[in-house]
Amino acid sequence: MNKILITGACGQLGSELTEELRKRHGNDYVIASDISEPKSSLSTGPFEHLDVLDRDRIEEIVDKHNIGTVYHLAALLSATAEKNIHFAWKLNMDGLLNILNTAREKSLERVFWPSSIAVFGPDAQKVKTPQTAACNPTTVYGISKLAGEQWCAYYHNKFGVDVRSLRYPGLIGYKSMPGGGTTDYAVDIYHKALEGEPFHCFLEKESALPMMYMADAVKATIDLMEAPSENITIRTSYNVSAISFSPEEIAAAISGQLEGFEITYTPDHRQAIADSWPDSIDDTPARTDWGWEPSFDLESMTDDMLKNLSAMLKEDE
Ligand code: SER
């Protein structure tokens, strides 16, 4: 079997995807890579240092490990990208094009690339935003994701590269922290709640956003990648939806399980980003084409997060 390469494997999604794919295919078949030093959880299998802007290094790793599939996750998220717009564009675009060109030239079997709800802007329908809603993003991150989607479709149509993509909502998990996103508050809030500290939210209390529990995100990604090619009718990127909630609603879900939890609201520059995004997403094509269905709602996610995170925090003590 050809092996799997994951870029950005130290990130929030990368570390969990590496773990799950190693469980399914064996540790040696999944090569984790990142520009950062490897996290201890990645020590179960091979790791390569990789800057995705270095095309030669990508090809060297692909040849060395006989790579057939790439999950290309290395990128800057929305809030960080707004602070460094030119580097964000370079990393998010050139990184993707380096992977797509490598896939084309080396006839790789499959590529996964994450897009985001950030492709939508203020003129898209806010509630249950359809797959085909207008995509006029107002963030550099959103512009890079929208352009990336078009590059994926182009490389598929012109060169036959089997690249597949999901428009992720905010991702929430207990094993790793997100970095630089607008939806990050929904992970941090659980940490503060368990540490017994009040949570200072950088979004307004009624600011609803689409979100997804990590177990569902990993499942959606692998299900999409394992679907037969003929089922994939969308070669830009699929809407995928699971939960939608506001800071006030997630706080209420936590308060239901943890007495005395307190939250305050001080919106900062990330509020404008959140305001430009949908409240919730319609994902009918993903459900029809490859059977997508989420398992976690706000209650069951909160239950699982608090249980696992408190066990982890106790282990660290
Ligand atoms: N979670 C991402 C962000 O906030 C959205 O794709 O940037």
Side-chain angles (χ1 to χ4, degrees):
M1 189 185 112
N2 284 339
K3 293 182 182 170
I4 296 171
L5 173 66
I6 302 183
T7 74
C10 291
Q12 187 201 14
L13 175 62
S15 48
E16 300 226 16
L17 209 48
T18 304
E19 195 180 315
E20 181 59 28
L21 287 167
R22 281 183 176 164
K23 235 186 254 166
R24 291 178 184 220
H25 300 289
N27 291 344
D28 292 342
Y29 279 86
V30 181
I31 320 304
S33 73
D34 205 288
I35 198 164
S36 309
E37 288 304 305
K39 296 164 70 164
S40 58
S41 66
L42 297 177
S43 64
T44 49
F47 180 88
E48 295 282 359
H49 184 263
L50 174 63
D51 174 355
V52 294
L53 295 176
D54 183 347
R55 168 95 181 267
D56 293 342
R57 178 74 179 131
I58 295 172
E59 295 197 357
E60 186 186 310
I61 294 171
V62 165
D63 290 341
K64 176 177 164 192
H65 293 282
N66 194 21
I67 298 296
T69 298
V70 179
Y71 289 77
H72 172 48
L73 308 179
L76 286 198
L77 288 182
S78 58
T80 317
E82 285 308 293
K83 300 217 166 260
N84 203 344
I85 58 175
H86 297 115
F87 178 66
W89 178 255
K90 189 172 171 56
L91 178 67
N92 291 7
M93 283 297 89
D94 290 352
L96 172 61
L97 287 168
N98 280 342
I99 296 291
L100 290 175
N101 283 323
T102 304
R104 179 189 174 195
E105 271 166 36
K106 297 196 173 287
S107 303
L108 298 188
E109 283 157 23
R110 225 158 262 192
V111 174
F112 176 81
W113 177 76
S115 185
S116 163
I117 55 158
V119 294
F120 297 114
D123 59 346
Q125 180 181 314
K126 272 261 176 226
V127 175
K128 289 207 161 287
T129 309
Q131 175 72 39
T132 52
C135 290
N136 293 308
T138 52
T139 62
V140 168
Y141 177 69
I143 299 170
S144 75
K145 290 297 181 190
L146 181 58
E149 288 189 1
Q150 297 299 324
W151 277 120
C152 288
Y154 184 90
Y155 270 69
H156 176 259
N157 296 335
K158 289 266 173 176
F159 308 128
V161 174
D162 189 355
V163 51
R164 305 171 179 205
S165 177
L166 298 175
R167 289 173 175 160
Y168 290 121
L171 301 183
I172 297 161
Y174 59 89
K175 290 186 189 160
S176 50
M177 295 300 279
T182 303
T183 54
D184 295 9
Y185 89 86
V187 177
D188 203 21
I189 193 170
Y190 288 107
H191 286 257
K192 293 290 183 305
L194 285 169
E195 284 155 12
E197 288 177 34
F199 179 64
H200 305 295
C201 187
F202 58 72
L203 295 182
E204 281 166 7
K205 61 176 166 186
E206 283 163 4
S207 202
L209 286 169
M211 301 277 186
M212 186 181 285
Y213 197 40
M214 190 56 85
D216 276 334
V218 168
K219 180 167 119 35
T221 310
I222 297 177
D223 284 358
L224 172 71
M225 287 297 272
E226 289 182 348
S229 219
E230 59 273 18
N231 288 28
I232 311 298
T233 63
I234 292 174
R235 288 292 179 168
T236 48
S237 188
Y238 278 96
N239 277 11
V240 274
S241 154
I243 323 171
S244 167
F245 57 78
S246 63
E248 189 175 43
E249 286 164 336
I250 189 175
I254 293 173
S255 294
Q257 301 203 26
L258 277 183
E259 245 173 70
F261 172 63
E262 280 173 43
I263 182 165
T264 62
Y265 303 92
T266 318
D268 68 11
H269 61 281
R270 289 167 280 195
Q271 185 63 51
I273 302 178
D275 286 343
S276 75
W277 289 351
D279 290 1
S280 61
I281 295 285
D282 178 84
D283 58 3
T284 306
R287 289 171 189 256
T288 313
D289 286 1
W290 44 276
W292 161 242
E293 205 181 334
S295 303
F296 286 85
D297 60 14
L298 178 56
E299 294 308 317
S300 51
M301 175 180 81
T302 299
D303 204 46
D304 206 63
M305 273 298 278
L306 292 175
K307 198 168 66 206
N308 284 295
L309 200 53
S310 70
M312 274 177 63
L313 293 174
K314 272 190 199 120
E315 257 173 43
D316 290 348
E317 271 168 19

